[in-house]
Amino acid sequence: KVDASNQELKLEGAEFKVVFESGETLQEGLTTGEDGKVTISELKPGNYQLIETKAPEFYELDTTPIDFTIAKGQTVAVPLSVSNTLISGDVELTKVDSDESSLTLKGAVFQVLDSKNNIVKENVETDETGKLTVTDLPPGEYQFEETKAPFGYLLESEAIPFTIAKGQKNILKVTAENVIQPGSIKLLKVDKDDASRTLEGAEYSLLNEDGDVLQENLVTDENGELLISELRPGNYQLQETKAPMGYQLDETLIPFTIEVGQEEVLDLTHENNQISGMIELTKLGEQEDAEGLAGTEFKLLDEEGVLVEEGLMTDESGKVSIDNLKPGDYQLVETKASFGYVLDETPLSVNVPFDPQEPVVVEMTNKLQTGSVELTKRDYDDETIIEGATFSLRDRDGNVLQEKLLTNEEGIILAEDLKPGEYQFVETEPALGYDLNAT
């Protein structure tokens, strides 16, 4: 008993029965040994059939009768050679998007190569569900090679190895990914009044269709161009976050679409109005590493004290921009502080230079609105006032801020000018006649 594809490989464990020409089973359970052989003796002259009843492990059963004859006077054994084919296996490949594994891809074409790089199957294509199945593969090492990518995707050059194991019963499942073919856009930034004048230094954020920021700080180059590549097909928006020097910011959303399979660069143009002058004020809190303060209101006065503009409010980043200002001296006066901060009505002088090339950037700082706390010390049983108890004032982490604070004749300690935050009073010495309450 030998392997059908390798006659040198002898197969142990094949079982046979011997049937006489009359149909009578004479012997059964005849099993090949380690050398792949089984010897059947004591057969009378006549016609016989040898029938396989059990295949060697991992091999397909072959019940085709093997005819042989024992001749009269025969002294030499009749040699028979019978082969078996290894049980074949199946493989299922699922083609998916490399970024969205739930997105299956139809139309990917593959070929299957064996361990010697011989093509076993070719032109097998994923269906509507993104799957393809290759059946009847003998056990061994194989690989899928993509010969055609799904529409809108890049061809995957890396082979996908897989193994059909001996005796494999279940279909082998593998997954292959494709990177979607990205698209590109080129935005040209120009002067609104002179389109031949391109503008360097405009900054943009790239948003998805829901307004989520995908990329930011994208800047037009010396030619006024901004190239954004490697974009998946879909709907996007560009938003200007910083205008070129000397130009007004235009935050109008610029929608665009990258189509599936798009190969050409999508061209966009965006215009800006030149400005005569701009003041950009940032309002900060007094804290270290303070962020900008939103909701602070200002009015702008010219050098003669005449109102130019009012109701100027800082945004979420603590900034307020005032544009279209003629060159000259101005004063910014705070009219309403941000919540939790002290109003500062001290005028801030600002000069807008002639022929400005960039915004005049100024900063103002506000002090936090402080609070106070009053502690009253009373007897536990009758709530009488307790004078002379000593306390320390600490922050939330236990760091001492003030100490030796004594309750007065009214049993009170007053702590003032406290910045917003969490604090603790801790009794350090009890009043005469009382136990310490260190809670």
Side-chain angles (χ1 to χ4, degrees):
K1 174 62 79 169
V2 297
D3 183 288
S5 61
N6 180 6
Q7 300 291 314
E8 298 300 320
L9 180 58
K10 308 301 189 290
L11 304 181
E12 178 183 3
E15 291 187 11
F16 292 89
K17 67 180 179 179
V18 177
V19 180
F20 192 54
E21 59 187 336
S22 64
E24 178 187 1
T25 299
L26 301 180
Q27 297 182 44
E28 55 186 342
L30 303 166
T31 307
T32 57
E34 291 182 1
D35 59 357
K37 294 181 180 181
V38 60
T39 300
I40 309 164
S41 57
E42 300 301 323
L43 295 175
K44 296 179 179 181
N47 297 315
Y48 296 85
Q49 288 184 329
L50 191 64
I51 300 175
E52 187 172 72
T53 56
K54 179 183 176 183
E57 186 179 12
F58 307 131
Y59 285 81
E60 295 180 359
L61 180 67
D62 184 358
T63 58
T64 305
I66 305 158
D67 297 320
F68 67 93
T69 299
I70 299 296
K72 290 180 180 180
Q74 178 180 313
T75 59
V76 179
V78 177
L80 301 175
S81 179
V82 186
S83 63
N84 280 76
T85 302
L86 280 165
I87 295 171
S88 61
D90 303 333
V91 60
E92 177 187 88
L93 179 143
T94 303
K95 175 61 86 169
V96 298
D97 184 289
S98 62
D99 294 324
E100 299 180 25
S101 58
S102 61
L103 179 59
T104 56
L105 309 176
K106 70 173 183 177
V109 180
F110 289 86
Q111 61 184 11
V112 179
L113 285 70
D114 63 17
S115 60
K116 296 180 180 179
N117 286 326
N118 298 314
I119 296 176
V120 178
K121 299 279 186 179
E122 57 184 343
N123 296 324
V124 283
E125 184 172 345
T126 56
D127 60 18
E128 294 288 336
T129 65
K131 299 180 184 296
L132 64 81
T133 303
V134 180
T135 59
D136 298 326
L137 292 174
E141 303 293 329
Y142 298 89
Q143 59 184 12
F144 279 110
E145 282 190 357
E146 188 170 87
T147 57
K148 180 183 176 183
F151 175 71
Y153 285 79
L154 301 176
L155 185 69
E156 178 54 63
S157 59
E158 187 172 345
I160 305 162
F162 65 94
T163 301
I164 298 296
K166 287 184 177 180
Q168 177 177 305
K169 295 181 179 179
N170 298 322
I171 188 168
L172 176 66
K173 297 186 178 182
V174 298
T175 301
E177 298 180 344
N178 275 86
V179 176
I180 200 164
Q181 179 177 306
S184 303
I185 68 157
K186 183 172 69 175
L187 178 137
L188 181 64
K189 187 69 164 176
V190 298
D191 185 295
K192 185 173 183 179
D193 298 320
D194 181 4
S196 65
R197 188 177 190 184
T198 58
L199 307 178
E200 178 183 2
E203 290 188 11
Y204 288 87
S205 288
L206 176 68
L207 317 176
N208 62 18
E209 60 184 332
D210 297 323
D212 302 318
V213 177
L214 304 178
Q215 298 181 42
E216 52 188 349
N217 301 323
L218 304 169
V219 185
T220 56
D221 62 17
E222 59 187 7
N223 298 314
E225 295 179 346
L226 171 61
L227 180 66
I228 308 175
S229 56
E230 301 299 317
L231 296 177
R232 286 179 62 90
N235 297 317
Y236 296 88
Q237 304 173 89
L238 276 172
Q239 185 174 37
E240 187 175 51
T241 56
K242 180 182 177 183
M245 187 179 298
Y247 285 80
Q248 294 180 12
L249 180 67
D250 182 1
E251 296 180 295
T252 305
L253 293 172
I254 308 166
F256 66 92
T257 300
I258 298 294
E259 303 290 347
V260 175
Q262 175 180 313
E263 296 181 355
E264 300 295 327
V265 176
L266 178 64
D267 289 316
L268 301 173
T269 301
H270 192 213
E271 301 172 334
N272 275 77
N273 286 314
Q274 194 172 16
I275 59 175
S276 55
M278 175 184 288
I279 297 173
E280 185 179 274
L281 168 70
T282 301
K283 190 67 168 177
L284 300 172
E286 65 175 332
Q287 312 95 304
E288 188 174 334
D289 299 326
E291 297 180 353
L293 301 181
T296 306
E297 286 190 12
F298 293 87
K299 62 182 178 181
L300 182 68
L301 310 176
D302 65 15
E303 58 184 336
E304 303 296 332
V306 177
L307 179 67
V308 176
E309 199 168 344
E310 61 183 344
L312 302 167
M313 183 177 293
T314 56
D315 61 16
E316 292 180 356
S317 62
K319 297 182 183 298
V320 60
S321 295
I322 313 156
D323 56 13
N324 293 322
L325 298 176
K326 296 178 180 179
D329 294 318
Y330 295 86
Q331 289 185 333
L332 279 165
V333 180
E334 186 174 328
T335 56
K336 178 183 176 183
S338 298
F339 176 74
Y341 288 83
V342 178
L343 180 68
D344 182 0
E345 297 180 288
T346 305
L348 175 66
S349 298
V350 184
N351 175 263
V352 176
F354 178 76
D355 190 24
Q357 295 299 307
E358 59 184 4
V360 178
V361 178
V362 292
E363 259 186 23
M364 292 181 68
T365 302
N366 277 70
K367 292 184 178 180
L368 280 164
Q369 183 75 50
T370 58
S372 58
V373 59
E374 180 183 274
L375 177 142
T376 302
K377 186 70 171 175
R378 296 180 182 277
D379 185 287
Y380 181 81
D381 294 315
D382 59 15
E383 296 193 354
T384 58
I385 296 300
I386 299 175
E387 179 183 0
T390 304
F391 285 83
S392 66
L393 177 67
R394 307 181 185 185
D395 63 18
R396 63 179 296 175
D397 298 319
N399 299 310
V400 176
L401 305 177
Q402 298 180 37
E403 55 185 347
K404 297 183 179 180
L405 303 172
L406 287 174
T407 56
N408 62 17
E409 59 187 7
E410 297 176 342
I412 291 174
I413 291 173
L414 179 64
E416 298 181 299
D417 294 324
L418 299 179
K419 294 180 180 179
E422 297 183 18
Y423 298 85
Q424 308 175 67
F425 274 119
V426 180
E427 185 172 352
T428 55
E429 294 182 26
L432 182 65
Y434 284 88
D435 289 329
L436 180 71
N437 181 356
T439 305

